[in-house]
Amino acid sequence: MIKNFHSEVMKLYEQIRKSNELDLQNRKKEIESNVPEILDIENKIQKLSLGLSLAAIKPGNDRESNINKIKNEIMTYKMKKSELLVANGYPMDYLDFHYDCPKCKDTGYIYTSKCSCYKKYLVNVAYKNSDLSISLRSNNFNNFNINYFSDDAFNSPISPKNNMAKIYKNSIIYIDTFNKHNDNLLFYGNPGTGKTFLTHCIAKELIEMGYSVIYKTADDLIAALKDAKFNNNDSLYTSLVDCDLLIIDDLGTEQLSNFSKKELFNLLNAKMLRYKKMIISTNYSLDELTDIYSERLTSRLFGNFTLYKFFGDDLRLKLKRNTIKNSTR
Ligand SMILES: [Zn+2]
């Protein structure tokens, strides 16, 4: 996966360079019509630079003095060019090539090592491929607030807050040891108890660590599996199976058919055989899942996934209520 991402990142750099080249051509055209004199000077500088390279390889006693003479001429013209640009209200570097990253000149590399901007683009490509939209990226551990969860255990042996603290801690361990385990997670429980939020947090961390993550709602996943099967979209199927982590959100909301049940089962098996991990979230209880899916599928889920039960108040309603309360104060 990461290798495919690399060629996508390289394409991005190419696009950046092309667009910067186009911008420069447009700036030149603008100057040509507004202050043509400046472009004349620029042409002279170009010719002199060419002459300079020729003088450098031409043997003879006067080689050194020729070189210096041309260098001085270039310098004079360059100063004249800058003065004219500024006098006409343009920045001094208006006719220079502009790089998004001057460090690597938008190549991604400084000699043989990767530039710091490379990771930024890699993460962008990885996000695009993960199906996680930009708006979901704000779901990250920085915005995680354990105080949203109630301290009151009611009839449970543990309060929602303590339960969440435990799940949170285990999620961090899951991320930190991601390349050392083959654990799959099943988040189940009522809507609005933080399951989807937590899967986004985990996805974000792993993407930024360089793992390939694909996020799909169960509905989208079934649509993708159909596309893969009926349109022979092999690369789509391969990416679902081979990605380091596949997150299936909202299991049970997809259109249930023999096709979806069978393909889902096959996908789980294929991933487990390759030791590729999954996180599944569902609003259903374990009993309800058993009713919905076949014995085969649920025994895979319950036998090969670590189960985490989410419970407590509906956070979405709670947050909404707080916002309303604060805005009417
Ligand atoms: Zn760079």
Side-chain angles (χ1 to χ4, degrees):
M1 276 307 257
I2 297 294
K3 268 182 201 148
N4 295 343
F5 289 167
H6 174 76
S7 58
E8 276 194 55
V9 173
M10 287 294 114
K11 269 186 221 153
L12 268 182
Y13 280 117
E14 206 184 306
Q15 283 166 10
I16 292 168
R17 291 194 301 267
K18 270 189 191 154
S19 124
N20 285 337
E21 176 61 42
L22 202 69
D23 286 347
L24 177 63
Q25 295 309 329
N26 287 335
R27 292 198 299 274
K28 276 189 178 170
K29 273 182 207 153
E30 187 191 347
I31 297 290
E32 199 174 15
S33 62
N34 291 349
V35 202
E37 200 189 342
I38 298 178
L39 272 201
D40 291 343
I41 294 174
E42 184 146 281
N43 288 336
K44 277 179 191 145
I45 295 172
Q46 259 174 22
K47 265 185 203 153
L48 283 166
S49 303
L50 196 68
L52 185 67
S53 342
L54 290 174
I57 52 169
K58 199 175 164 192
N61 292 337
D62 52 357
R63 181 174 164 270
E64 205 70 17
S65 69
N66 272 342
I67 290 176
N68 283 335
K69 202 182 128 218
I70 301 174
K71 272 187 182 168
N72 283 336
E73 268 184 276
I74 292 177
M75 187 64 80
T76 314
Y77 279 122
K78 275 191 174 168
M79 275 164 65
K80 213 169 163 187
K81 182 179 123 182
S82 301
E83 277 166 18
L84 271 172
L85 277 169
V86 174
N88 286 281
Y90 293 103
M92 243 197 296
D93 65 350
Y94 200 66
L95 290 178
D96 295 348
F97 196 96
H98 293 173
Y99 296 102
D100 283 18
C101 176
K103 278 195 290 182
C104 67
K105 299 193 163 149
D106 299 331
T107 61
Y109 283 88
I110 300 170
Y111 298 107
T112 52
S113 43
K114 284 189 181 109
C115 182
S116 57
C117 66
Y118 182 93
K119 195 195 161 193
K120 189 180 82 188
Y121 293 123
L122 182 69
V123 167
N124 275 334
V125 169
Y127 265 115
K128 205 183 85 207
N129 281 279
S130 74
D131 273 356
L132 276 171
S133 72
I134 290 169
S135 62
L136 300 182
R137 289 189 218 173
S138 58
N139 286 355
N140 57 61
F141 282 117
N142 290 334
N143 297 330
F144 181 89
N145 187 348
I146 192 76
N147 293 322
Y148 287 145
F149 298 86
S150 166
D151 255 334
D152 202 333
F154 295 105
N155 297 323
S156 310
I158 179 174
S159 73
K161 193 181 201 171
N162 285 339
N163 179 52
M164 197 60 210
K166 195 182 85 189
I167 297 173
Y168 176 87
K169 197 180 121 212
N170 288 345
S171 299
I172 300 287
I173 297 171
Y174 186 83
I175 294 163
D176 287 345
T177 57
F178 192 76
N179 60 351
K180 297 193 185 89
H181 63 68
N182 295 311
D183 297 347
N184 304 299
L185 310 178
L186 177 69
F187 293 168
Y188 70 101
N190 294 338
T193 44
K195 299 183 297 294
T196 300
F197 178 83
L198 196 63
T199 62
H200 289 165
C201 296
I202 296 172
K204 184 180 192 292
E205 293 297 317
L206 291 174
I207 284 173
E208 290 182 4
M209 285 160 81
Y211 292 106
S212 55
V213 178
I214 295 182
Y215 170 91
K216 289 217 180 282
T217 61
D219 223 13
D220 289 344
L221 179 69
I222 296 303
L225 287 173
K226 270 188 188 150
D227 181 20
K229 185 112 183 175
F230 298 121
N231 299 323
N232 291 323
N233 194 341
D234 290 338
S235 65
L236 175 63
Y237 191 77
T238 309
S239 65
L240 290 172
V241 174
D242 279 346
C243 67
D244 298 319
L245 178 70
L246 174 66
I247 296 174
I248 307 173
D249 200 13
D250 253 347
L251 185 76
T253 53
E254 73 279 12
Q255 263 209 327
L256 286 168
S257 62
N258 285 337
F259 172 87
S260 61
K261 287 180 190 172
K262 187 171 151 243
E263 288 303 314
L264 199 57
F265 178 76
N266 289 343
L267 180 68
L268 296 194
N269 270 345
K271 283 195 78 77
M272 281 178 206
L273 281 173
R274 285 171 178 75
Y275 301 111
K276 297 294 185 183
K277 294 171 266 270
M278 286 164 278
I279 298 180
I280 296 181
S281 88
T282 178
N283 290 337
Y284 288 99
S285 68
L286 300 184
D287 283 344
E288 285 167 328
L289 281 178
T290 317
D291 286 343
I292 297 171
Y293 296 99
S294 64
E295 166 84 40
R296 277 196 323 164
L297 188 89
T298 42
S299 70
R300 273 282 176 281
L301 284 178
F302 303 160
N304 296 283
F305 283 65
T306 307
L307 311 181
Y308 287 107
K309 185 179 179 182
F310 286 59
F311 56 89
D313 298 333
D314 189 327
L315 294 175
R316 279 172 274 199
L317 288 179
K318 206 171 173 182
L319 287 172
K320 216 179 197 173
R321 247 181 268 139
N322 282 349
T323 324
I324 294 167
K325 229 191 273 168
N326 290 338
S327 64
T328 50
R329 239 176 225 167

